[in-house]
Amino acid sequence: KKHPEYWQKYTNSFKSIPTMDLNTSRFVVFDTETTGLDPYSDRVLSIGAVSVVGNEINIADSFEQFVSQENFNSQTVEIHGILKNGEQSKVTEEEAIPLFLEYLLSS
């Protein structure tokens, strides 16, 4: 299977990982909101992330992206609070994933 270029770039970044001190390494903590847990029918609604360096959360180094919804499940709004036509700026899943991977690769 041929993977998209952004995925190849991301996986290639692991080919030469230098040894790093845990106190200065950047860790990323992320969370997603989805329409459910079925990988075949449910979709990602948002991705949020923040970096941690040296036991400190770096709010200035954060990521937040809302994803446009093709399939809307009104029952899940109670859980995540994201409306199909809400006021947040949204991109497609195909746009959101490369943006998130780019954030992960930034330092």
Side-chain angles (χ1 to χ4, degrees):
K1 180 178 180 181
K2 178 123 173 91
H3 292 91
E5 183 179 328
Y6 66 82
W7 186 255
Q8 292 173 13
K9 178 182 174 185
Y10 178 70
T11 56
N12 286 339
S13 72
F14 293 103
K15 290 183 178 175
S16 62
I17 299 176
T19 303
M20 299 176 72
D21 181 349
L22 286 178
N23 293 320
T24 58
S25 294
R26 176 179 180 254
F27 293 89
V28 172
V29 180
F30 74 96
D31 182 39
T32 61
E33 294 298 336
T34 66
T35 58
L37 298 175
D38 185 328
Y40 299 103
S41 63
D42 290 311
R43 293 288 174 251
V44 174
L45 299 175
S46 70
I47 306 169
V50 65
S51 73
V52 178
V53 178
N55 293 323
E56 292 186 11
I57 298 171
N58 185 355
I59 300 297
D61 181 16
S62 61
F63 179 87
E64 180 179 62
Q65 187 62 66
F66 290 91
V67 180
S68 52
Q69 300 177 44
E70 305 249 340
N71 303 325
F72 182 67
N73 182 347
S74 61
Q75 296 173 336
T76 62
V77 173
E78 235 178 84
I79 298 166
H80 52 66
I82 301 172
L83 298 172
K84 182 174 184 174
N85 297 317
E87 295 183 18
Q88 302 95 344
S89 175
K90 298 177 181 178
V91 298
T92 65
E93 272 187 32
E94 291 79 15
E95 294 168 314
I97 300 303
L99 291 171
F100 180 58
L101 293 178
E102 184 178 311
Y103 167 76
L104 291 176
L105 294 175
S106 69
S107 50

